[in-house]
Amino acid sequence: MNAVQQTQHVFQACIYFASAFQAISCGIHYLASVFIAVTPKYVCRPPGNASLISINNVSISGIDEAWGLWTSPNDYLVSQQDNGDIWELSRCSRHKLTNTLDPANSYEENRTLHSCSDGYWYDHTNVDSSIVTEWDLVCDREWLAKLVQPTFMLGVLIGAMFFGDIADRVGRRPIMWITSSCQFIFGVVVAFTFDYYSFVVVRFFLATVSSGYLVVVFVYVTEYVGIKARTWASIHIHAFFAVGVMIVALVGFLVRTWWLYQIILSVITLPFVLCCWMLPETPFWLHSQGKYKEVEDIISTMEKWNRVSTSYNLAELLPVEEANTASGQEIQIAKKHNLLHLFHSWSFARRTMSVWLIWFTSSLGYYVFALNSVNLGGNEYVNLFLSGAVEIPSYIICCLCMDKLGRRNTLVPFLLLSTVFCGVIMLIPEDYSTIIIVMSMAGKFSIGIAFGLIYLYTAELYPTVVRSLAVGSGSMMCRIGSVVAPFCVYLTEVWIFMPQLLVGIVAFISGILTLLLPETLGMPLMNTMEEAAEMQKKKESARKSLSESNGIVMEKLQSSSTDLPDV
């Protein structure tokens, strides 16, 4: 396949930008719930119409003026109705006063609390509507709003595993067709859901297809670009994802109605859906299935697009026995693989467990640092935009280091550096908030490099027959990390630096285990399990030879030292 890789120019560039463009949609749907499920300030609505409202001993004419004076969830309003009734209003209950607007009466004994049967007043300063305001997902229904993102991540987890496996069986192209089309369909359908439960179900399916596309596109791009461009092409899929995050912030700022916001986000990548059927299957997958005639057709198309004058014969690209088979009938389709094949030997099992832990650590650290950043204050739309923008330089640094130092030699330092930043944060006094913020961003920068690198590294560590499965299962561990991350943040109630402690520990362990993985810089992609096993044998043989040579040197030094005269 090296000859195929040497012809990569215009054809591969078009393939790359077309397939990577749809990764923007994945970034959009992953973060869309930030504004879809936003919970504004709210208070229990009294029965009837209000003629006068008082908050913190300040009388105002309407509820819209109250939100600027609302400083705490424990604040309450006192509302006088047109019929003369006076109500004390809190977030999740209301109490009818007996005599006066005097707030002191609101603390009288034996008062009767009433439920918010008439709904709620919401602050529409920053959002016209969200699923929270539309379906009253507050108070005893607040947990439903908090369940929106975990259920989405559950769909992401299942989609990563399911579509990663299917892509190895039926090919990369059909899965990209299906997932990209379904992203558009489910994305639009979400905007027209009629209740909370249908909303969650549709978004669950949206999550599965979004995750499926993101998993397969990394494999697709990796198999279509050459060794020299593989690093930049694969890592910058993350940059397209980050652009999606920035689009969410921009559209969220401009459109404050959740269903219209959802529709606009869904149609942004519609051009890709209309032309995704033109994408060809990858030569690597066709080769692994013995479909050599189709490999020849793709090579011929590459020659035309890239204006290559020298024609390649399939016999020049394949081993003798495969070429002979290709000239006649196609060989029997390759053996199907499943998750157990990632553990078919001790060395392979150790590799898989190490890779899975790195995926988990990268996601856990990324989301822990991201969730802590919401305490920065300021404009929430600007903060989200910057959180996407800051990822782009981290990926550039990641690519430069990977090409110069190698995959493993880049991953290890930045994982360990994340541990250092976590330790430094734990030593900084809480009063020095600016320094804590800087260190937190540095920690996110470091873990972000590991987060971007592991996709490509995983694709290079495994052969074609299980590559999508390996990336898909790794992405599954990644999603588990993203689900666990919020619970780590909740542990601040136990100890304020508990999240950093946990991230620092798993990052340190991951960094040490990464040292046991082989380096893949400049290595051609593997096609079979035998080639992967051979890579591990060469690594162990080289380590053994180095150990033996060091032993010989030490023996010589020791023998030489015995010949030296005593001083």
Side-chain angles (χ1 to χ4, degrees):
M1 301 301 293
N2 287 338
V4 177
Q5 294 172 346
Q6 292 173 358
T7 66
Q8 294 176 354
H9 294 293
V10 178
F11 181 83
Q12 285 80 356
C14 293
I15 291 294
Y16 172 76
F17 285 106
S19 57
F21 179 75
Q22 184 67 356
I24 295 176
S25 183
C26 298
I28 286 173
H29 293 306
Y30 273 50
L31 273 296
S33 64
V34 171
F35 299 123
I36 287 180
V38 64
T39 301
K41 298 175 183 177
Y42 64 93
V43 69
C44 197
R45 181 193 293 270
N49 296 320
S51 60
L52 182 63
I53 296 175
S54 174
I55 179 173
N56 296 330
N57 296 324
V58 178
S59 296
I60 54 180
S61 59
I63 186 63
D64 292 338
E65 299 178 21
W67 305 119
L69 302 174
W70 187 281
T71 58
S72 169
N74 296 323
D75 286 347
Y76 60 90
L77 298 178
V78 178
S79 174
Q80 183 175 6
Q81 306 303 99
D82 291 339
N83 61 4
D85 290 344
I86 301 173
W87 289 84
E88 175 201 285
L89 310 173
S90 62
R91 296 183 70 177
C92 298
S93 64
R94 56 187 181 177
H95 165 54
K96 188 176 182 180
L97 302 181
T98 56
N99 297 316
T100 177
L101 283 174
D102 186 355
N105 285 315
S106 63
Y107 297 100
E108 61 188 14
E109 296 182 1
N110 301 322
R111 62 179 180 171
T112 301
L113 296 179
H114 300 272
S115 64
C116 301
S117 57
D118 292 288
Y120 303 85
W121 277 328
Y122 293 100
D123 179 10
H124 295 291
T125 303
N126 295 322
V127 58
D128 292 335
S129 73
S130 69
I131 64 169
V132 173
T133 64
E134 183 161 339
W135 297 318
D136 289 337
L137 304 181
V138 294
C139 297
D140 57 343
R141 289 166 55 87
E142 183 180 4
W143 66 275
L144 294 174
K146 293 182 177 180
L147 202 61
V148 168
Q149 192 63 16
T151 54
F152 186 90
M153 285 300 177
L154 178 62
V156 169
L157 186 153
I158 294 174
M161 194 64 208
F162 176 76
F163 286 107
D165 184 25
I166 297 299
D168 282 329
R169 298 173 183 269
V170 304
R172 287 54 164 133
R173 180 177 62 174
I175 299 304
M176 294 177 69
W177 288 358
I178 294 171
T179 53
S180 58
S181 299
C182 288
Q183 272 194 91
F184 171 73
I185 295 172
F186 289 136
V188 173
V189 171
V190 165
F192 295 96
T193 49
F194 52 87
D195 63 10
Y196 169 80
Y197 298 101
S198 60
F199 170 85
V200 169
V201 170
V202 176
R203 268 183 57 86
F204 175 84
F205 289 114
L206 174 61
T208 59
V209 295
S210 297
S211 174
Y213 185 88
L214 196 60
V215 168
V216 177
V217 73
F218 274 99
V219 177
Y220 187 82
V221 167
T222 301
E223 293 181 349
Y224 251 114
V225 298
I227 294 176
K228 293 182 179 179
R230 188 188 303 160
T231 300
W232 287 83
S234 178
I235 295 301
H236 278 80
I237 294 291
H238 291 284
F240 284 90
F241 186 94
V243 170
V245 176
M246 292 186 281
I247 290 176
V248 168
L250 180 61
V251 176
F253 175 75
L254 298 175
V255 182
R256 307 297 177 89
T257 303
W258 78 267
W259 59 268
L260 181 59
Y261 158 88
Q262 176 67 31
I263 292 176
I264 293 175
L265 291 177
S266 298
V267 302
I268 285 176
T269 54
L270 180 60
F272 175 82
V273 177
L274 299 177
C275 66
C276 65
W277 60 271
M278 300 175 61
L279 295 176
E281 187 55 81
T282 69
F284 277 94
W285 185 85
L286 294 172
H287 174 267
S288 70
Q289 301 299 305
K291 298 181 179 181
Y292 302 123
K293 180 62 173 63
E294 296 183 31
V295 175
E296 281 187 329
D297 294 339
I298 293 179
I299 294 174
S300 177
T301 303
M302 290 181 180
E303 292 172 354
K304 295 177 182 178
W305 278 65
N306 299 332
R307 299 180 181 179
V308 176
S309 57
T310 304
S311 298
Y312 294 103
N313 190 299
L314 187 60
E316 300 174 1
L317 308 177
L318 304 175
V320 176
E321 64 274 10
E322 293 182 351
N324 291 336
T325 305
S327 62
Q329 297 180 346
E330 291 186 350
I331 65 171
Q332 185 178 3
I333 293 179
K335 176 184 177 182
K336 301 301 181 183
H337 294 80
N338 55 44
L339 189 64
L340 295 178
H341 286 86
L342 299 180
F343 298 86
H344 79 282
S345 67
W346 164 245
S347 61
F348 228 68
R350 184 177 60 190
R351 177 185 304 183
T352 299
M353 294 303 296
S354 298
V355 168
W356 280 5
L357 182 59
I358 297 169
W359 278 89
F360 176 84
T361 301
S362 301
S363 179
L364 178 69
Y366 180 88
Y367 285 104
V368 164
F369 282 119
L371 290 173
N372 282 341
S373 68
V374 299
N375 298 321
L376 297 177
N379 188 290
E380 56 187 350
Y381 302 101
V382 174
N383 289 344
L384 182 61
F385 185 89
L386 293 178
S387 71
V390 76
E391 296 182 38
I392 296 178
S394 71
Y395 300 142
I396 295 176
I397 298 297
C398 178
C399 291
L400 293 175
C401 293
M402 288 173 66
D403 280 340
K404 298 296 183 181
L405 304 177
R407 281 66 163 138
R408 181 188 60 192
N409 297 335
T410 299
L411 187 57
V412 172
F414 280 103
L415 282 173
L416 297 180
L417 194 59
S418 300
T419 302
V420 173
F421 286 129
C422 288
V424 171
I425 292 173
M426 294 165 59
L427 297 175
I428 300 174
E430 295 182 33
D431 295 338
Y432 293 84
S433 58
T434 302
I435 301 178
I436 292 177
I437 292 173
V438 171
M439 290 295 102
S440 296
M441 294 305 295
K444 183 183 178 184
F445 183 89
S446 299
I447 209 72
I449 290 178
F451 193 73
L453 186 153
I454 190 57
Y455 280 85
L456 174 60
Y457 195 27
T458 302
E460 293 180 337
L461 283 172
Y462 292 88
T464 304
V465 291
V466 293
R467 185 171 295 125
S468 285
L469 183 61
V471 175
S473 62
S475 182
M476 178 186 68
M477 299 303 298
C478 174
R479 299 281 69 82
I480 293 176
S482 64
V483 172
V484 171
F487 296 100
C488 289
V489 176
Y490 296 155
L491 292 177
T492 53
E493 298 178 2
V494 178
W495 185 40
I496 190 171
F497 294 125
M498 184 64 76
Q500 287 80 6
L501 176 63
L502 296 176
V503 171
I505 291 174
V506 294
F508 178 78
I509 296 174
S510 299
I512 298 301
L513 291 178
T514 304
L515 293 171
L516 302 177
L517 298 175
E519 180 56 68
T520 59
L521 177 62
M523 301 283 290
L525 291 177
M526 299 171 289
N527 279 328
T528 65
M529 301 293 285
E530 290 74 17
E531 292 179 13
E534 187 64 25
M535 172 191 281
Q536 186 66 25
K537 288 180 180 179
K538 290 180 179 179
K539 178 178 181 293
E540 293 175 354
S541 177
R543 186 190 301 137
K544 182 178 179 181
S545 298
L546 179 61
S547 177
E548 291 177 350
S549 63
N550 289 339
I552 294 174
V553 172
M554 291 301 296
E555 289 179 1
K556 290 183 177 180
L557 289 174
Q558 290 174 358
S559 61
S560 299
S561 64
T562 57
D563 297 334
L564 294 175
D566 294 333
V567 179

